[in-house]
């Protein structure tokens, strides 16, 4: 809980701000994750494109087995009650996440949890291995180029973001007392000298 | 994409509608808002378990990602989001409410990952407010100033409590940028001056509340009421619960730091504070409340000595801020116009002398003020600018300052003692 603040009092007792219930939450983490999945699905890279890319000049049988395995892991992560579209989209996310990773690290775990909520770690391990086997015969730069060109997320011009050149200071106000607590004087007025 | 060299508020765009058919609509239109679902901010866990830390990091990552996305949007899309996305405004508001201030008891994040994430949000929130306070981003991307003023005011993108929060959260190292932002907001929408005028009495009420909680008489409405027969039973700073005392000092510390930050960053606000007799109320509050609160912190029995030490520092910090606020107000209202040498220099000098004279009965305040901002220096400045100033009056004033030091049993710092 935040400590008592002047601006809290001003919001409650003055008429210059919008009266809002700050305990009311428009979106919880669950609906936020759903929205993220929805937005991710619109980013351009699709399961069909991945299938085509992985099987085009490769051993189709072997690659298809790995793709199937990746879909299976995706189903465990996204939830078995989800439709084919949601499972394929999750598989795309896992492909993007693990295409240049050899193990499931903290960042990857966090990214998957942010997208799908709690998930079985065995499914993440299995998907990481599947992706590694899928991309092994393709070459790192080839895979990287494929993702860069297909996904709109990688095409946004980060450099054009507002405020990128602004020198921002993280400094904050700290206590600046006039004097320290005078310990020598503590309780001295309480002394009763009985002459 | 919207057309160039026309203000955003006058632009029309043609783009595919929900059914895929092209349609033309104003560039600033709710239909152009993206469904993004911004989540509200929650402050970092104080002594968080790994699960709490994880939850914070996950939550915070959503916010940084969303704000970075927002900042990367083109000008027209940014404003559609800002004006029409309620979840974005709630997210920004929650940050202003919940973000830890540098002065909070537990302001240091528990882990480096939390600290890094907090820094990322901090910057992204500031840049978002900065963009929201900018009506002209480039030659092509701008909003008609009057319309900009209306948009920010009618949609509560900025209000006085938010501006105060921005000052206390970001003002320490970003004062110049904040000054430009706030100046632009007030210039394009003068209604903020009326809002500020309405807010000052509530600010004064905060000081009255503190006095009341300490069982001390105060000026204003409450002082006019007859005293209840059981009034003597009201708790004082010595008798209230320890938690109440802690809350009271935290409140005072936050209030004085916030007001000071605001006046320091946006001195034009001094006029509103001044017109409500803020100086008189502040000095009276200082004289009445500070000795009582100091006594309570020194004499009460604290099991936790570090809490006692911390409370003392907060109280002493609050004193410094009140003294500095007084100086800011005097500087803006009287000293600055005198030094600028305009037409009414004499009346400003008269007002300054009147203020100093009104401080004479507030001996504790006067000695603390004089220690930080020697009154003799201001008098000397005054005499140089206006040689006609009545010397008997200034001598009386300076004697009053000396007597204030004597009556509070303190000695002036050596550096301030000038040979006669």
């Amino acid at each position: 809980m935040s400590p008592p603040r002047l601006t809290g009092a001003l919001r409650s007792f003055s008429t210059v701000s919008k009266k809002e219930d700050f305990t009311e939450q428009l979106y919880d983490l669950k609906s936020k994750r759903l929205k993220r999945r929805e937005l991710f699905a619109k980013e351009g890279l699709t399961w069909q494109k991945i299938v085509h890319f992985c099987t085009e000049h490769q051993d189709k049988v072997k690659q298809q087995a790995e793709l199937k395995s990746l879909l299976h892991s995706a189903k465990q992560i996204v939830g078995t009650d989800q439709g084919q579209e949601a499972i394929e989209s999750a598989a795309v996310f896992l492909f993007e996440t693990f295409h240049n990773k050899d193990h499931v690290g903290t960042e990857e775990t966090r990214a998957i949890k942010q997208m799908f909520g709690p998930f079985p770690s065995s499914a993440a391990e299995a998907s990481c291995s599947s992706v590694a086997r899928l991309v092994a015969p393709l070459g790192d730069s080839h895979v990287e180029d494929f993702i860069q060109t297909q996904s709109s997320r990688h095409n946004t011009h980060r450099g054009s973001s507002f405020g990128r050149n602004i020198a921002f200071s993280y400094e904050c106000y700290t206590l600046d007392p006039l004097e320290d607590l005078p310990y020598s004087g503590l309780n001295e007025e309480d002394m009763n000298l009985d002459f | 994409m919207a057309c160039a060299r026309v203000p955003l508020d006058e632009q029309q765009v043609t783009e595919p509608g929900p059914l895929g058919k092209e349609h033309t609509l104003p560039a600033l239109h709710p239909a152009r808002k993206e469904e993004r679902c911004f989540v509200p901010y929650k402050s970092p866990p104080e002594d968080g378990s790994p699960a709490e830390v994880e939850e914070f990091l996950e939550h915070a990552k959503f916010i940084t990602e969303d704000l970075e996305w927002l900042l990367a949007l083109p000008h027209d899309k940014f404003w559609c989001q800002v004006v029409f996305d309620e979840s974005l405004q709630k997210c920004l508001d929650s940050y202003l409410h919940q973000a830890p201030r540098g002065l909070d008891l537990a302001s240091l994040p528990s882990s480096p990952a939390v600290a890094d994430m907090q820094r990322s949000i901090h910057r992204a929130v500031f840049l978002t407010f900065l963009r929201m306070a900018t009506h002209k981003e480039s030659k092509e991307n701008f909003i008609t100033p009057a319309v900009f003023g209306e948009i920010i005011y009618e949609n509560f993108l900025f209000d006085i409590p938010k501006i105060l929060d921005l000052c206390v959260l970001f003002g320490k190292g970003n004062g110049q940028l904040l000054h430009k932002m706030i100046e632009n907001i007030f210039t394009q929408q003068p209604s903020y001056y009326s809002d500020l005028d309405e807010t000052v009495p509530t600010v004064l009420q905060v000081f009255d509340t503190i006095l009341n909680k300490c069982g001390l008489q105060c000026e204003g409405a409450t002082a006019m009421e007859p005293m209840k027969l059981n009034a003597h039973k009201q708790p004082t700073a010595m008798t209230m619960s320890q938690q109440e005392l802690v809350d009271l000092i935290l409140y005072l510390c936050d209030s004085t730091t916030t007001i000071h930050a605001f006046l320091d960053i946006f001195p034009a606000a001094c006029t509103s504070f001044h017109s409500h007799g803020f100086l008189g109320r502040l000095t009276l509050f200082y004289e009445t409340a500070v000795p009582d609160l100091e006594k309570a912190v020194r004499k009460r029995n604290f099991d936790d000595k570090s809490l006692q030490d911390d409370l003392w520092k907060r109280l002493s910090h609050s004193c410094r801020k009140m003294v500095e606020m007084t100086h800011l107000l005097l500087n803006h209202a009287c000293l600055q116009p005198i030094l600028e040498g305009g037409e009414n220099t004499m009346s400003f000098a008269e007002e300054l002398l009147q203020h100093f004279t009104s401080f004479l009965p507030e001996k504790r305040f006067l000695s603390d003020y004089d220690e930080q901002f020697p009154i003799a220096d201001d008098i000397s400045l005054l005499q140089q600018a206006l040689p006609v100033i009545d010397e008997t009056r200034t001598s009386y004033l300076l004697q009053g300052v000396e007597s204030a030091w004597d009556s509070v049993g303190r000695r002036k710092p050596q550096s301030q003692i000038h040979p006669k």
Side-chain angles (χ1 to χ4, degrees), chain B residues 133-238:
Chain B
T134 309
H135 69 281
K136 189 175 179 185
E137 258 179 45
S138 63
K139 279 180 185 168
E140 291 80 25
N141 298 315
F142 62 98
I143 304 177
T144 310
V147 178
F148 166 78
E150 243 174 76
I151 289 174
I152 57 167
Y153 192 73
E154 298 303 325
N155 294 289
F156 292 95
L157 301 189
F158 291 95
D159 59 31
I160 300 296
K162 282 186 191 182
I163 293 169
L164 292 179
D165 277 330
L166 287 171
C167 288
V168 78
L169 279 168
F170 302 104
K172 175 73 178 170
N174 305 287
Q176 282 188 333
L177 262 178
L178 261 174
H179 171 77
K180 281 187 182 172
M181 282 164 69
I182 300 173
E183 193 176 44
N184 193 43
I185 291 167
F186 275 76
T187 306
Q188 308 310 339
Q189 182 50 274
S191 299
Y192 283 113
Y193 280 110
S194 324
D195 282 3
L196 181 60
D197 227 36
E198 266 189 59
T199 312
V200 178
T202 318
V203 175
L204 286 168
Q205 190 61 48
V206 167
F207 291 114
D208 286 350
T209 306
I210 295 174
L211 285 174
N212 267 332
K213 295 250 181 202
C214 294
L216 297 163
Q217 283 283 56
C218 63
E219 278 207 338
T222 39
M224 307 300 283
E225 291 166 8
M227 214 174 185
K228 289 178 185 167
L229 287 174
N230 61 354
H232 63 280
K233 285 181 187 164
Q234 203 179 345
T236 64
M238 280 303 281

Side-chain angles (χ1 to χ4, degrees), chain B residues 380-412:
Chain B
S380 153
L381 212 69
L382 214 57
Q383 284 168 331
Q384 286 169 45
L386 295 157
V388 287
I389 289 283
D390 180 3
E391 207 173 308
T392 324
R393 200 169 165 196
T394 53
S395 304
Y396 169 76
L397 200 56
L398 291 174
Q399 272 171 20
V401 175
E402 294 301 322
S403 116
W405 278 92
D406 291 342
S407 58
V408 294
R410 294 165 65 201
R411 281 199 201 129
K412 267 191 172 192

Side-chain angles (χ1 to χ4, degrees), chain A residues 28-41:
Chain A
D28 58 9
L29 291 184
K30 212 174 160 185
S31 48
K32 178 66 189 168
R33 284 191 194 109
L34 267 175
K35 177 50 71 184
R36 278 187 105 230
R37 296 211 293 258
E38 215 179 288
L39 293 170
F40 177 77

Side-chain angles (χ1 to χ4, degrees), chain A residues 5-7 9 11 15 17 20 24 32-33 36 110 114 162 166 169 176 178-181, chain B residues 36-37 54 58 61-62 65-66 71 90 93 104 159 165 174 198 251 254 312 316-317 320 372:
Chain A
R5 300 211 201 281
L6 170 73
T7 50
R11 283 187 176 93
T15 53
S17 52
E20 283 195 283
E24 179 207 14
K32 178 66 189 168
R33 284 191 194 109
R36 278 187 105 230
R110 196 169 283 150
Q114 268 206 296
F162 177 89
I166 285 170
S169 164
D176 186 15
L178 286 166
E179 56 173 357
D180 287 332
L181 181 61
Chain B
R36 188 78 190 184
C37 306
E54 267 311 302
E58 185 182 15
K61 185 92 166 85
F62 283 140
E65 270 182 12
D66 285 345
L71 290 167
K90 280 203 180 246
D93 278 7
D104 283 353
D159 59 31
D165 277 330
N174 305 287
E198 266 189 59
Y251 194 33
D254 175 76
W312 180 268
S316 179
H317 168 91
R320 181 191 286 277
Q372 297 299 308

Side-chain angles (χ1 to χ4, degrees), chain A residues 8-113:
Chain A
L10 296 184
R11 283 187 176 93
S12 304
F13 302 114
S14 73
T15 53
V16 296
S17 52
K18 196 175 173 181
K19 295 281 169 247
E20 283 195 283
D21 178 9
F22 287 96
T23 55
E24 179 207 14
Q25 201 166 315
L26 280 180
Y27 300 105
D28 58 9
L29 291 184
K30 212 174 160 185
S31 48
K32 178 66 189 168
R33 284 191 194 109
L34 267 175
K35 177 50 71 184
R36 278 187 105 230
R37 296 211 293 258
E38 215 179 288
L39 293 170
F40 177 77
K42 290 181 191 163
E43 280 178 5
L45 186 56
T46 63
W47 181 243
Q48 281 66 37
K49 284 179 187 168
I50 290 176
V51 171
H52 184 256
F53 173 70
C54 291
T55 55
E56 202 180 7
H57 305 294
Q58 307 299 324
D59 177 350
K60 278 197 179 173
V61 180
K62 208 173 156 192
Q63 291 292 79
Q64 268 169 350
E66 290 302 347
L67 288 164
K68 202 174 165 188
S69 158
L70 180 57
L71 270 183
H72 178 70
S73 306
K75 189 175 181 177
Q76 285 180 296
I77 288 173
V78 79
T80 47
D81 54 341
Q82 298 288 320
Q84 189 62 19
E85 206 179 319
I87 295 167
E88 285 182 0
S89 177
V92 173
F93 180 79
L94 293 169
F95 185 85
E96 251 201 73
T97 306
F98 290 124
H99 77 275
N100 52 2
K101 301 283 179 315
D102 55 8
H103 71 285
V104 186
T106 322
E107 280 305 305
E108 293 76 43
T109 306
R110 196 169 283 150
I112 300 172
K113 193 171 165 245

